[in-house]
Amino acid sequence: NISDYQRLHIWVKVMNHFQWLSHLRGRRWHIGWQAEDVDCPLECDCPSAYPTAMYCHSRNLQHVPFVPSHIKYVYLQSNQITGIQHGVFDNATSLVWVVLFHNQLKSDKIGLNVFSKLKSLDRLFLDHNELTQVPPNLPKSITDLRLGHNKISKILPNTFEGMLNLTTLQLQANAIEDAGGVFKGLKSLTMLDMRKNQLRKFPDNLPERLQQLYLEFNNIESVPANFFNMHPKLQFLRLAQNKLTDKGLPASVFNVSRLVELDLSFNKLEKIPVVSRDLENLYLQANKIKEFSLSSFCSTIDMTNYSKLRMLRLDANEITAKDIPAEAAYCLRHLAYIDL
């Protein structure tokens, strides 16, 4: 027989145990010791306010917990995860977002078909890891794929085959020398980020719908002559920190109506290239430009023929304010900022 005091002492110990477990799970417990979501992994939080979300970020995790079937959004960023085991997502085929940036993922530790059953996956964030290749068999449903800041040096030809919904693709800060024709068939792609790679030329077979192309910090020496004819919807092109020279720019290659922003800074240009009158932002700082050619902006100057340019940077070149002719006030009448 035990005394009432002993019974109370045992009850307190049990109570403390359940309080600790409840704290570990990050969820409240109801009367009768029933968790709000009994199938949520102990390492994560599944708050009742967001019943389809599973929060596992910043927990020092070294593996991906098995995801319950009702979860649509899983947050695993900022951990120490090195691989993704087979079957971890097999019950959660309704997943829409998988967030895994800032981990230590390695390509040889990701199962070949680990993502293949996720037919509704919309966003996959794998940036800031140690991947050497794009994971195979990605779902065709993805619209936003982030693979920046990895160690990818080569993309296999069929990597993105059938991904007709992909609109945003980030591959910046890798070690890619030539993307080949891997982007062919990505009919919905509007934004491609390939900054800080080792490209020597423009990527081939870019989709016609492309609107934003970021190629800064590469080794590109020239722009293809017919590039803008094949990409009439391109509005933002950034080519800063490459190896462009005047010889690498075909005549009037930038004189296209859709381009809104053009960044050619930190190259080796000696002349201002001819640009469209509809261009609004032009960055040419840190080149070797020696003269201000008004004809680069306006072929003729009258009341109807003028540039829409609002921002012009020419600092760190070999020209000064006195090199700008008085007629520039008529041609560049919308200019709000010029830096010499």
Side-chain angles (χ1 to χ4, degrees):
N1 295 331
I2 60 175
S3 67
D4 290 340
Y5 174 80
Q6 289 174 317
R7 288 193 184 93
L8 179 61
H9 182 68
I10 293 171
W11 184 85
V12 169
K13 288 181 67 177
V14 171
M15 184 71 163
N16 288 338
H17 170 75
F18 276 104
Q19 286 177 337
W20 171 83
L21 185 58
S22 176
H23 176 73
L24 177 64
R25 294 177 71 104
R27 292 179 294 278
R28 299 186 306 275
W29 290 75
H30 292 304
I31 296 172
W33 314 114
Q34 294 299 312
E36 290 184 0
D37 188 355
V38 294
D39 60 350
C40 188
L42 292 177
E43 307 95 323
C44 307
D45 291 330
C46 304
S48 59
Y50 305 98
T52 60
M54 188 171 104
Y55 297 93
C56 315
H57 57 287
S58 305
R59 310 291 171 97
N60 293 318
L61 299 182
Q62 297 182 4
H63 69 283
V64 176
F66 281 87
V67 183
S69 59
H70 68 282
I71 295 296
K72 292 185 177 181
Y73 307 90
V74 60
Y75 300 91
L76 291 153
Q77 69 269 27
S78 302
N79 281 294
Q80 300 171 20
I81 299 169
T82 58
I84 307 175
Q85 61 269 38
H86 287 287
V88 72
F89 298 128
D90 281 5
N91 288 331
T93 54
S94 297
L95 274 172
V96 178
W97 288 18
V98 175
V99 181
L100 275 158
F101 61 79
H102 281 294
N103 274 283
Q104 300 171 19
L105 288 173
K106 295 178 172 58
S107 292
D108 60 353
K109 293 186 178 181
I110 297 179
L112 291 177
N113 294 297
V114 75
F115 297 112
S116 62
K117 294 183 180 180
L118 307 181
K119 305 300 183 182
S120 299
L121 192 63
D122 184 64
R123 300 187 182 186
L124 178 58
F125 297 171
L126 298 171
D127 39 322
H128 293 275
N129 278 284
E130 298 179 21
L131 301 176
T132 54
Q133 64 182 38
V134 180
N137 302 316
L138 293 177
K140 313 303 184 193
S141 56
I142 295 177
T143 67
D144 187 348
L145 178 59
R146 304 188 186 185
L147 291 158
H149 299 272
N150 277 283
K151 299 177 180 179
I152 299 169
S153 58
K154 186 177 181 180
I155 305 177
L156 298 178
N158 298 325
T159 297
F160 304 117
E161 186 175 8
M163 298 184 72
L164 302 179
N165 297 319
L166 191 63
T167 60
T168 300
L169 178 56
Q170 297 187 4
L171 287 162
Q172 73 273 22
N174 278 285
I176 302 168
E177 294 184 9
D178 186 354
V182 298
F183 306 118
K184 185 177 182 180
L186 300 181
K187 296 181 179 180
S188 299
L189 193 67
T190 59
M191 195 280 274
L192 176 61
D193 190 344
M194 295 196 72
R195 294 171 292 154
K196 297 184 179 180
N197 276 282
Q198 298 173 21
L199 297 174
R200 296 189 179 92
K201 64 175 186 176
F202 270 56
D204 297 326
N205 298 114
L206 292 176
E208 185 177 322
R209 288 190 182 183
L210 197 66
Q211 297 176 13
Q212 303 173 55
L213 179 58
Y214 304 134
L215 297 171
E216 305 104 299
F217 293 92
N218 278 286
N219 299 311
I220 297 171
E221 297 180 356
S222 63
V223 178
N226 61 344
F227 181 76
F228 293 98
N229 293 330
M230 298 174 65
H231 306 92
K233 297 185 178 181
L234 193 66
Q235 297 183 46
F236 300 89
L237 176 60
R238 296 178 183 171
L239 285 162
Q241 299 279 359
N242 275 280
K243 297 181 179 180
L244 293 172
T245 63
D246 295 335
K247 184 179 179 181
L249 302 183
S252 299
V253 68
F254 297 121
N255 191 13
V256 289
S257 59
R258 288 295 184 97
L259 209 57
V260 173
E261 180 174 293
L262 177 60
D263 188 351
L264 300 170
S265 59
F266 294 89
N267 279 285
K268 300 177 181 180
L269 303 178
E270 297 183 16
K271 298 178 182 178
I272 299 175
V274 176
V275 296
S276 166
R277 286 184 297 162
D278 292 318
L279 188 69
E280 296 182 11
N281 302 295
L282 178 59
Y283 302 95
L284 288 165
Q285 69 269 25
N287 276 278
K288 299 179 179 180
I289 298 172
K290 300 175 182 179
E291 63 175 333
F292 188 95
S293 51
L294 199 57
S295 59
S296 296
F297 308 102
C298 299
S299 55
T300 59
I301 302 173
D302 54 43
M303 293 301 294
T304 60
N305 190 7
Y306 55 87
S307 171
K308 294 181 182 178
L309 201 66
R310 300 183 61 83
M311 163 75 75
L312 176 60
R313 287 198 59 178
L314 285 164
D315 45 307
N317 279 286
E318 299 177 25
I319 56 176
T320 62
K322 66 181 182 180
D323 297 314
I324 301 178
E327 294 83 359
Y330 298 100
C331 169
L332 302 174
R333 65 185 68 177
H334 283 293
L335 199 63
Y337 181 85
I338 181 170
D339 195 342
L340 293 171

